[in-house]
Amino acid sequence: MELTLWKRWLLVGVAASTFNAAAWAADKANVVILATGGTIAGAGASTANSASYQAAKVPVDKLMLSVPELARVARIRGEQVFQIASESFTNSHLLQLGKRISALAKQQDVDGIVVTHGTDTLEETAYFLNLTVHTDKPIVVVGSMRPGTAMSADGALNLYNAVVVAASRDARGKGVLVTMNDQIDSGRDVGKGINIKTNAFASQWGPLGMVVEGRNYWFRAPVKRHTMSSEFDIDKLDQLAPVEIVYGYGNVPASLYEAAAAAGARAIIHAGTGNGSVADRIVPTLQSLRGKGVQIIRSARVPAGFVLRNAEQPDDKHDWVVAHDLNPQKARILAAVALSQFSDSQNLQRVFWEY
């Protein structure tokens, strides 16, 4: 059920003195908060529990009420799309969420959208939306590293900053954004780098900007194709191609790649060492799978840098694709979207350069 912050305040009997009438002035933006669960909606056993807690416990109405300052920024309403920990996200969840965002973005009474999300797969969802939702309205994905019950909880400020960005005209046209730890990052670039600190999310190319005391400060803009300029459209996308990731390591067996192909994978992301390196004993297996129509995409398990085409393997000779600077999980998202539309390796490599 859709809930407005104003209606909820009336229902719970919040004193009139806490209501800022100016917040509902005609010039305030309309922002919809779509809640999906995660740590930002989590609860721990005590205030000392910042790393051990239960995710996806707090519903969207209570989440909004926990940050009354939101009313000074925009007119808010919320929807509970899912209530799950983000490691449980599937392709079906991505499609459902994307279609709901697309529908909301078409409404004249919606100026921006915030998605609250667990941090484990937040970067994947943000990139998927960046690829598929055709709108120039701000879409901001936000989470937290600590539950709201922790004494050092980060979710309230992260959510406040997300609404600030979603309500801002200067955030339009910049693709899907992620606001964590005062930073504004591109949903395309950002990744989770640590699991127990509030500065967990970063891009190797740096943030797009920052939010400080309710104001946006921008320093760069995305250059890769996204949202309005994307050839992929969530409204025409009903399923994602099956794509699997195989993690490279010193003793990795060829049977893992064969098993992924046998399970129906149309592409395999090789999360290789270094520059997407492939062990010599694995090369014949990947060549054979490519000959059977499975796309082979070389990514890297290292957290920074990018995979150079033909630098570690003769990709042209093998008809393999390189993921450029996309990590394995984001490479999976792009391949799953792209292969739902075409199947040739030339176009697949093109989109890895362009997106």
Side-chain angles (χ1 to χ4, degrees):
M1 178 183 295
E2 186 176 284
L3 296 165
T4 66
L5 185 56
W6 169 229
K7 289 179 181 177
R8 285 294 303 169
W9 274 1
L10 287 177
L11 288 172
V12 299
V14 175
S17 61
T18 66
F19 175 68
N20 182 356
W24 306 102
D27 61 343
K28 294 293 182 184
N30 297 298
V31 174
V32 179
I33 297 177
L34 299 180
T36 69
T39 300
I40 195 168
S46 75
T47 58
N49 290 111
S50 63
S52 57
Y53 54 87
Q54 288 186 303
K57 289 295 180 183
V58 181
V60 65
D61 56 331
K62 291 185 178 179
L63 191 63
M64 294 189 303
L65 285 168
S66 70
V67 192
E69 293 83 3
L70 296 178
R72 301 173 188 159
V73 178
R75 287 184 292 270
I76 308 296
R77 66 180 190 266
E79 295 180 19
Q80 193 76 50
V81 185
F82 314 119
Q83 186 66 300
I84 59 175
S86 70
E87 66 268 21
S88 296
F89 255 67
T90 64
N91 289 351
S92 295
H93 289 110
L94 290 176
L95 290 166
Q96 183 180 339
L97 178 63
K99 289 180 183 296
R100 181 58 185 143
I101 291 172
S102 179
L104 285 169
K106 292 179 173 66
Q107 295 181 195
Q108 291 187 351
D109 64 344
V110 175
D111 299 304
I113 299 164
V114 170
V115 179
T116 64
H117 200 289
T119 60
D120 280 0
T121 59
L122 184 151
E123 65 198 81
E124 298 171 52
T125 297
Y127 187 44
F128 174 78
L129 299 175
N130 198 59
L131 290 171
T132 61
V133 180
H134 285 201
T135 185
D136 66 347
K137 295 178 181 179
I139 301 170
V140 185
V141 187
V142 63
S144 71
M145 294 304 297
R146 294 169 178 166
T149 52
M151 66 178 75
S152 55
D154 56 325
L157 182 56
N158 286 349
L159 179 58
Y160 176 78
N161 287 343
V163 173
V164 167
V165 174
S168 304
R169 294 196 64 84
D170 61 16
R172 287 191 169 222
K174 292 182 172 65
V176 174
L177 305 168
V178 173
T179 58
M180 297 280 289
N181 201 41
D182 297 339
Q183 292 188 170
I184 309 171
D185 281 283
S186 167
R188 190 254 180 207
D189 297 340
V190 75
K192 183 177 181 179
I194 192 170
N195 63 351
I196 54 173
K197 292 186 177 181
T198 56
N199 63 339
F201 281 77
S203 162
Q204 67 168 319
W205 312 123
L208 302 183
M210 294 187 68
V211 187
V212 180
E213 295 185 351
R215 181 178 176 184
N216 302 335
Y217 295 86
W218 300 95
F219 302 105
R220 69 180 185 94
V223 297
K224 298 289 187 178
R225 292 177 66 179
H226 61 76
T227 54
M228 292 295 289
S229 67
S230 177
E231 67 199 84
F232 311 113
D233 186 349
I234 188 63
D235 294 334
K236 301 176 182 177
L237 190 61
D238 294 320
Q239 63 180 2
L240 298 180
V243 178
E244 302 299 339
I245 302 171
V246 177
Y247 195 86
Y249 56 93
N251 197 49
V252 62
S255 59
L256 296 181
Y257 301 89
E258 294 167 341
R266 288 185 57 194
I268 295 174
I269 309 297
H270 169 70
T273 55
N275 183 30
S277 303
V278 183
D280 54 6
R281 68 184 180 282
I282 301 298
V283 170
T285 298
L286 298 189
Q287 288 177 306
S288 174
L289 292 176
R290 181 68 196 101
K292 297 174 182 177
V294 179
Q295 295 288 349
I296 304 300
I297 303 169
R298 290 197 304 116
S299 183
R301 71 184 198 183
V302 295
F306 53 87
V307 177
L308 293 171
R309 186 170 178 84
N310 296 316
E312 196 281 332
Q313 287 288 330
D315 297 299
D316 289 347
K317 176 182 177 182
H318 297 331
D319 195 28
W320 294 351
V321 171
V322 296
H324 194 39
D325 65 328
L326 294 178
N327 61 29
Q329 55 268 33
K330 289 193 176 184
R332 185 194 75 86
I333 293 291
L334 179 54
V337 171
L339 289 172
S340 68
Q341 191 158 308
F342 50 74
S343 60
D344 63 294
S345 59
Q346 291 76 19
N347 264 325
L348 190 58
Q349 184 63 79
R350 173 185 62 81
V351 299
F352 271 96
W353 297 137
E354 294 180 5
Y355 293 87

